[in-house]
Amino acid sequence: MAYSRDSSPVLSPWILDVYTDLRAHLSEKGGGSASTASSHAPAITRKEAIALLSGAGEDAVTQADADYALTRLLERGYVYEVDGELRVTDLPAAE
């Protein structure tokens, strides 16, 4: 199993794809960067995120996979929750 510098397991590529899709959606929704950590940062409920990620399209995943990916992203800090809404964190690229 591959590990990152912080000794945490590296996320699977498909989970990182889910993050990329969610981040792109929130960037479009907010009309700018989804990485802003203010109260005006674009947000989505978990239920909406699961529906978005499991919708039609070539990148769609099952609802169970979307839920699993969101949990992993929350645990690793790629996504955070404020007042029941999910927001994405803009993390630097791994070296």
Side-chain angles (χ1 to χ4, degrees):
M1 176 179 285
Y3 288 89
S4 65
R5 288 181 291 170
D6 68 359
S7 299
S8 298
V10 175
L11 291 173
S12 299
W14 74 270
I15 293 177
L16 294 175
D17 289 343
V18 166
Y19 170 73
T20 299
D21 292 346
L22 185 60
R23 184 174 161 197
H25 173 76
L26 289 176
S27 288
E28 291 172 11
K29 181 178 176 181
S33 172
S35 65
T36 306
S38 71
S39 61
H40 301 295
I44 190 169
T45 66
R46 188 179 187 105
K47 184 177 178 178
E48 291 170 332
I50 291 171
L52 170 77
L53 297 166
S54 63
E58 64 184 55
D59 294 334
V61 296
T62 66
Q63 288 186 350
D65 284 346
D67 187 51
Y68 176 83
L70 290 172
T71 298
R72 299 291 82 74
L73 292 168
L74 278 162
E75 291 173 348
R76 294 295 303 277
Y78 284 73
V79 177
Y80 61 101
E81 188 172 6
V82 176
D83 296 330
E85 294 183 317
L86 302 176
R87 297 183 174 128
V88 297
T89 305
D90 196 9
L91 297 177
E95 294 179 21

